[in-house]
Each structure stands twice: as C-alpha cells, then as structure tokens.
Amino acid sequence: MTDFFHPIMDEHALKQCSSLALAHMGDSVYEIMARGYLIRSGLVTSRNLHRETIHLVCAGAQAAGAHAIVPLLTEEEQAVFRHGRNAKPKTVPKSSSPGEYALATAVEALFGWLYLKGGYDRLNELFAVLLPAAQKWAKQH
C-alpha cells in the first residue's frame, strides 16, 4: 500500500521539486507541528487553538523563527533555505512585508524538503529552536 502520510522522495525526485512546491508541503508540515505543540501545551478550546495557531503560523512568526535556525543549518539545508527565500510567489499577503514573506517561504521550503526526505528528527530539532522565537514575535504583535 502507498504511504501517503510519509511520502519519502529520493534525492533526484526532490531536486525536481520547485522551491514553491517544497514550501507548499512545508506550510502543512509547519502548521501540523504548531498545532501538535499547542494541543500538547494544554489548550483545549477550538477558539484558543485556532487563535494561537494563527499567531504561530503567520509569516512574521515564521520569519522570526528563521533567524533562530539559520546559524544551525547544514550547507545542504542552507541551499534549500536560500532557494526558498529567493522564490518568487505571485502574491504577498497584506499582513506581512515582502522580507518576512520571503523568510517564511524559506522556512516552509526547508520544512517541506526535510519532510519529503524523511528528516523527521531534524524537523523536530529545528522546530524546537524556531518555536521560542516565533512565540516571542507572536506575543509582541
């Protein structure tokens, strides 16, 4: 049976993916990690969960988290991050600056790439470092 929950891709297949395709996957990965963190932290009402999720997954929070993880990235991860940052999406939400959105796209591309190559432990490591910076940003905005 095909495992749609863990769609591991080899290096060749990953290189065929655009940065925006990786970011598309990484957006979901990042959000499910944020939601899992919030549920485990004790939030129980859907209203609180939704509000806090929105704060953690917005471009500004992701951009703040990007600054925390960049020094920890391997050369290969830096390349994926850089390509994601330099991707040219068709639109930028009004709620973020182009710079924030570029960094958020970079984080999402990296998370998508790691997920698709089966780097679950590395995703957890990076999310653990990114999370406090994203939370701090969310509290200030």
Side-chain angles (χ1 to χ4, degrees):
M1 174 183 356
T2 302
D3 184 356
F4 294 104
F5 198 71
H6 301 100
I8 306 299
M9 296 172 68
D10 63 28
E11 289 297 323
H12 177 73
L14 278 169
K15 288 182 182 193
Q16 302 302 311
C17 291
S18 71
S19 293
L20 292 176
L22 294 174
H24 177 75
M25 177 57 77
D27 178 51
S28 296
V29 172
Y30 182 90
E31 185 163 342
I32 202 165
M33 292 178 87
R35 287 175 180 231
Y37 164 77
L38 291 169
I39 287 171
R40 288 187 67 189
S41 71
L43 291 179
V44 293
T45 66
S46 61
R47 180 179 179 178
N48 288 341
L49 285 168
H50 179 73
R51 186 183 68 244
E52 294 303 316
T53 299
I54 296 301
H55 290 309
L56 285 180
V57 302
C58 72
Q62 288 180 348
H67 293 293
I69 65 170
V70 165
L72 307 175
L73 301 181
T74 67
E75 286 184 33
E76 193 175 21
E77 291 167 347
Q78 287 175 15
V80 172
F81 185 91
R82 190 171 44 256
H83 288 142
R85 186 188 62 220
N86 294 335
K88 301 295 180 212
K90 293 186 186 208
T91 60
V92 173
K94 294 176 188 173
S95 61
S96 68
S97 70
E100 286 175 331
Y101 198 67
L103 285 172
T105 303
V107 168
E108 291 172 351
L110 177 62
F111 274 44
W113 179 77
L114 286 167
Y115 176 75
L116 291 171
K117 76 182 276 182
Y120 310 127
D121 289 339
R122 184 64 171 153
L123 277 167
N124 282 313
E125 289 172 18
L126 293 176
F127 189 76
V129 172
L130 180 151
L131 183 60
Q135 289 174 310
K136 182 178 179 182
W137 184 93
K139 285 182 181 174
Q140 294 172 346
H141 293 90

